[in-house]
Amino acid sequence: MLDLPDARNRMVEVHLSRRGIRDREVLDAMREVPREAFVAPGFEEFAYEDGPLPIAEGQTISQPYIVALMIEMAEIGPGDHVLEVGTGSGYAAAVMSRIVERVYTIERHAGLAGTARQRFEELGYDNIEVRTGDGTKGWPDAAPFDAILVAAGGPGAPLALQEQLDVGGRLVIPVGDEPHDQRLLKVTRTGAATYSEEDFGGVRFVPLIGEQGWPESGSRIATARARTRSLPEMIAAAAEPLPDFDDPAFGELFDRFGDRRVVLLGEASHGTSEFYRARAAITRRLIEKHGFTIVAVEADWPDAAAVDRYVRRRPPRADADPPFQRFPTWMWRNTDVAAFVDWMRYHNERIRISSRLAGFYGLDIYNMGGSIAAVLQYLDRVDPQAAKIARERYGCLTPWQNEPSTYGRVALTSGYEKCEEAVLEQCRELLAKQLDYAQQDGVDFLDATQNARLIASAERYYRIMYYGGAQSWNLRDTHMFETLEHLIEARGPNAKAVVWAHNSHIGDARYTEMGVVRDEVNIGQFCRQRFGDEAALIGLSTHSGTVAAASDWDGEMEIKRVRPSHGDSYERLCHDCGVSRFLLDIKRDDDLRKRLSERRLERFIGVIYRPETELRSHYADASLAQQFDAFVWFDETAAVTPLGPEHVGTGVPDTYPFGL
């Protein structure tokens, strides 16, 4: 059963403190007030997640962070009298009552007001007064107020509320020209008839209904504000439309990133054709015109190595299995990847200069069994005695090679330290012989060395994955970044790399829920820290269409319909801008960059997609402009086409490298 007090403390620590709430009285009050008492029945277990929840009358209880932020902005303290407009569940009023002398709260829905009043009585919060009425007109007979907080978005700050502030008093209110496009403002009364105003960024609240707000219809009335461009309009103005993938102009739009050391290209799902085709077009341009020689992808090293032998026109390994046979096969065994791989092969045939050949490399950690086989095969050829010792050392892993996650179950109780040390020792010995092996076969040595590193990382990964939390993710992305570093080092001082991976790996984790809430790191963050402005992080996303995905891990691939993007998401902003496909260079427009730095929902679909629980399963909080340097948008997308016998080309023996 969920420990609610523990969950409440964690909410304060993770969702509030780590995101910048510093007011000790606010943090203590939110640690004291039981939010589960203010949510609808059945939602108690979700009370301490950082998200809004539905309540009666079509209203919501705001996410804890927004409640804390608005109260902190209001700068309330002991002895203050505070007015709240929009009682809702009563949670915010309850929190403020733990800090100030008296809270006055107005709710236009009588049912909500009555329920809130009952909750206050049950909790013994006797310094709160509740009234049913039009909150835009305030509470004149209780004025002046030290602070006024409005929990709904209006077209402007109602004059009645401003006039009910004491001198020095603060009004915190969402305002905007449209009922659902708002900025969080702090208005301070500086004199009898003077006010100052601060903008704290974009928010989304229910409309403020009333005489000095919006009418029930949602059209604008009362206090007027100068018309400014909406965020979708700003995106449309900055968007650079994308031509067809085969048009040279598509790749040319990305010449601006040609001088970078690393260009990271994301995707919002692992099964969308447009993402693969766009990355292929961009990568072709970077290889042909800007000297990039490394294509590093979110794939297992041994599988990618088979493709690399093909694109660099080297013979396949004897008795090697076709690559990408493990779930999810469609992620790399699809027609878009096959077309790009063939392009790389023919490009390299034209180059014929070893140092300028473009290589295809895997960054990921999963295929422990394939990695072991690759290291042993190499050692059998160059050092049979070392191969014999390696077989003995790897013996403690072999029972779980076909299902390596099983290793995690037994590792916690079966002396895994000995096995881990043996694997690490094998890696150390292989690296120690670098000079000897490199003289014999430098290309294969890179392959074998990386496989040894992968095994050491994979052993730890499968051991800790059952602990949960950020450990397994962080080990995986750290491994992938270190692999990228090794590749760049191996290819020489002028080597430049393109990385293909999911947006969750590409976008800087420090500006997403991953980093803020779960302490997770990723390749994008590491690349910025290591390469600075020489790294470009580019996300790709969509509004709707179809996607190739499974319902469960190791499940069958299905073609699923992608639900239209959520109304509170960055994807919906891009959809609403009206440009069907575009490049958004975020750093070229400072005003837009500031607006896109505001935290919103962002969609993440991996190899599993569950549309029935999409909001909970596939959306996370992020700051787009801090997460990425640029964003590529396709409003309508289609699923990838898995490779099958019907795609066998002519003149390619055994359809190498995919072995169809």
Side-chain angles (χ1 to χ4, degrees):
M1 186 175 180
L2 181 64
D3 185 336
L4 291 173
D6 182 69
R8 190 180 313 132
N9 286 329
R10 185 178 184 280
M11 173 198 74
V12 172
E13 177 62 30
V14 173
H15 299 310
L16 306 185
S17 294
R18 291 190 189 178
R19 292 184 63 180
I21 302 300
R22 296 288 177 262
D23 190 311
R24 180 52 51 188
E25 290 182 320
V26 174
L27 295 174
D28 288 345
M30 295 192 72
R31 194 175 276 113
E32 176 184 349
V33 175
R35 191 170 187 252
E36 69 271 17
F38 294 87
V39 302
F43 285 88
E44 291 85 356
E45 64 179 299
F46 306 110
Y48 296 106
E49 294 183 4
D50 192 37
L53 293 172
I55 57 175
E57 305 290 350
Q59 305 299 296
T60 61
I61 176 174
S62 296
Q63 69 184 102
Y65 173 74
I66 288 295
V67 173
L69 175 63
M70 293 181 70
I71 296 175
E72 185 175 65
M73 288 170 59
E75 301 177 58
I76 61 175
D80 284 352
H81 284 210
V82 176
L83 171 65
E84 179 192 38
V85 176
T87 310
S89 69
Y91 177 65
V95 172
M96 290 188 288
S97 76
R98 304 301 87 197
I99 303 172
V100 302
E101 180 176 321
R102 195 142 203 90
V103 177
Y104 300 84
T105 180
I106 306 174
E107 173 56 54
R108 70 187 186 92
H109 295 289
L112 290 178
T115 301
R117 187 180 293 109
Q118 181 179 347
R119 287 169 174 154
F120 300 148
E121 291 173 357
E122 291 173 351
L123 291 167
Y125 297 168
D126 57 5
N127 61 338
I128 307 174
E129 293 190 35
V130 185
R131 172 182 289 184
T132 301
D134 181 357
T136 68
K137 295 190 289 185
W139 197 319
D141 48 338
F145 298 103
D146 299 289
I148 301 175
L149 285 79
V150 183
L159 183 60
L161 299 183
Q162 296 184 56
E163 291 177 340
Q164 289 175 35
L165 285 173
D166 201 352
V167 174
R170 289 78 55 195
L171 166 64
V172 178
I173 179 173
V175 301
D177 290 327
E178 302 296 334
H180 299 292
D181 184 13
Q182 303 150 356
R183 314 286 294 171
L184 188 58
L185 295 188
K186 176 179 178 179
V187 179
T188 302
R189 187 168 192 172
T190 57
T194 58
Y195 300 84
S196 64
E197 185 177 291
E198 296 176 77
D199 186 331
F200 283 76
V203 288
R204 188 178 178 91
F205 279 78
V206 296
L208 176 63
I209 307 300
E211 183 178 307
Q212 296 189 34
W214 303 96
E216 289 283 354
S217 65
S219 61
R220 183 175 176 177
I221 62 170
T223 308
R225 293 177 57 86
R227 174 85 165 89
T228 58
R229 289 188 303 169
S230 69
L231 190 44
E233 289 173 333
M234 295 175 70
I235 293 172
E240 300 175 64
L242 291 169
D244 292 338
F245 296 112
D246 294 331
D247 188 329
F250 188 103
E252 290 170 5
L253 280 169
F254 296 85
D255 284 344
R256 70 196 73 190
F257 305 113
D259 61 347
R260 307 294 177 95
R261 192 78 187 276
V262 181
V263 174
L264 300 96
L265 302 175
E267 59 181 355
S269 86
H270 284 318
T272 298
S273 177
E274 282 78 4
F275 300 155
Y276 287 89
R277 296 174 70 191
R279 294 189 297 190
I282 298 165
T283 305
R284 290 196 300 266
R285 180 74 180 183
L286 294 175
I287 290 173
E288 285 187 311
K289 302 298 182 182
H290 300 286
F292 282 70
T293 57
I294 298 169
V295 180
V297 303
E298 185 187 340
D300 296 337
W301 177 276
D303 292 304
V307 175
D308 183 60
R309 299 181 76 87
Y310 174 73
V311 301
R312 289 201 277 169
R313 310 188 73 85
R314 300 168 62 227
R317 294 185 183 277
D319 301 322
D321 292 327
F324 305 119
Q325 295 291 321
R326 300 164 63 249
F327 176 88
T329 57
W330 67 88
M331 182 174 166
W332 296 109
R333 293 176 64 87
N334 63 63
T335 56
D336 298 319
V337 172
F340 176 68
V341 165
D342 283 337
W343 177 88
M344 289 186 70
R345 178 178 171 88
Y346 292 119
H347 166 79
N348 285 339
E349 183 179 24
R350 295 193 303 270
I351 296 298
R352 294 185 178 277
I353 301 174
S354 178
S355 63
R356 293 175 55 196
L357 297 180
F360 188 90
Y361 306 97
L363 299 176
D364 217 340
I365 198 171
Y366 292 114
N367 193 347
M368 185 165 56
S371 298
I372 292 172
V375 171
L376 293 177
Q377 184 180 48
Y378 174 74
L379 291 175
D380 278 336
R381 179 162 57 85
V382 301
D383 191 337
Q385 183 60 29
K388 180 180 179 180
I389 296 172
R391 280 186 169 85
E392 294 175 358
R393 287 175 173 165
Y394 291 152
C396 61
L397 293 179
T398 52
W400 305 283
Q401 283 183 40
N402 292 330
E403 183 50 56
S405 61
T406 307
Y407 179 71
R409 299 188 184 98
V410 299
L412 303 183
T413 58
S414 63
Y416 55 82
E417 294 93 343
K418 179 179 178 181
C419 181
E420 179 180 20
E421 182 56 35
V423 171
L424 291 171
E425 180 62 24
Q426 177 62 54
C427 185
R428 285 192 290 266
E429 288 192 10
L430 187 60
L431 292 173
K433 295 185 177 181
Q434 178 170 1
L435 292 178
D436 292 340
Y437 290 164
Q439 290 175 357
Q440 299 179 52
D441 190 343
V443 175
D444 272 6
F445 174 76
L446 175 63
D447 189 16
T449 299
Q450 181 54 31
N451 276 295
R453 290 191 180 102
L454 190 151
I455 295 165
S457 294
E459 198 278 342
R460 296 194 301 276
Y461 174 76
Y462 291 118
R463 172 164 53 86
I464 69 173
M465 64 185 291
Y466 287 92
Y467 286 122
Q471 267 191 304
S472 56
W473 174 279
N474 288 349
L475 175 62
R476 182 185 174 200
D477 266 56
T478 299
H479 170 88
M480 289 200 282
F481 175 70
E482 289 174 350
T483 300
L484 178 63
E485 282 193 305
H486 294 316
L487 284 169
I488 292 173
E489 179 182 358
R491 292 300 300 260
N494 297 318
K496 297 197 287 187
V498 183
V499 176
W500 291 18
H502 196 273
N503 284 347
S504 56
H505 296 292
I506 293 300
D508 192 328
R510 293 172 295 180
Y511 304 104
T512 70
E513 188 176 305
M514 295 166 51
V516 172
V517 175
R518 298 193 296 273
D519 289 327
E520 291 174 345
V521 296
N522 65 6
I523 305 171
Q525 173 183 340
F526 287 142
C527 281
R528 277 187 172 165
Q529 292 171 330
R530 168 68 174 82
F531 299 107
D533 291 338
E534 289 189 291
L537 282 53
I538 304 174
L540 285 78
S541 196
T542 186
H543 169 65
S544 63
T546 59
V547 66
S551 296
D552 295 289
W553 189 263
D554 229 12
E556 294 294 325
M557 189 207 81
E558 305 170 52
I559 303 300
K560 299 193 174 195
R561 172 63 57 178
V562 178
R563 298 183 64 176
S565 55
H566 192 276
D568 290 335
S569 67
Y570 285 112
E571 288 84 358
R572 180 54 64 91
L573 294 174
C574 291
H575 170 70
D576 289 346
C577 88
V579 183
S580 62
R581 41 193 283 157
F582 59 80
L583 165 65
L584 192 66
D585 191 341
I586 297 171
K587 293 188 175 181
R588 297 181 70 181
D589 184 330
D590 284 342
D591 290 337
L592 178 61
R593 179 180 55 78
K594 291 176 183 177
R595 294 294 307 274
L596 291 178
S597 294
E598 300 156 6
R599 305 184 73 88
R600 292 177 181 267
L601 294 177
E602 182 181 330
R603 182 159 56 189
F604 300 87
I605 300 173
V607 295
I608 294 171
Y609 181 46
R610 295 173 176 149
E612 65 277 7
T613 60
E614 187 184 68
L615 182 59
R616 185 173 71 251
S617 306
H618 300 288
Y619 278 95
D621 195 43
S623 170
L624 192 78
Q626 294 173 292
Q627 183 186 8
F628 299 113
D629 299 302
F631 201 59
V632 176
W633 177 255
F634 300 98
D635 200 65
E636 185 81 11
T637 51
V640 295
T641 301
L643 284 174
E646 68 274 20
H647 302 115
V648 174
T650 59
V652 182
D654 301 323
T655 62
Y656 176 67
F658 291 106
L660 293 172

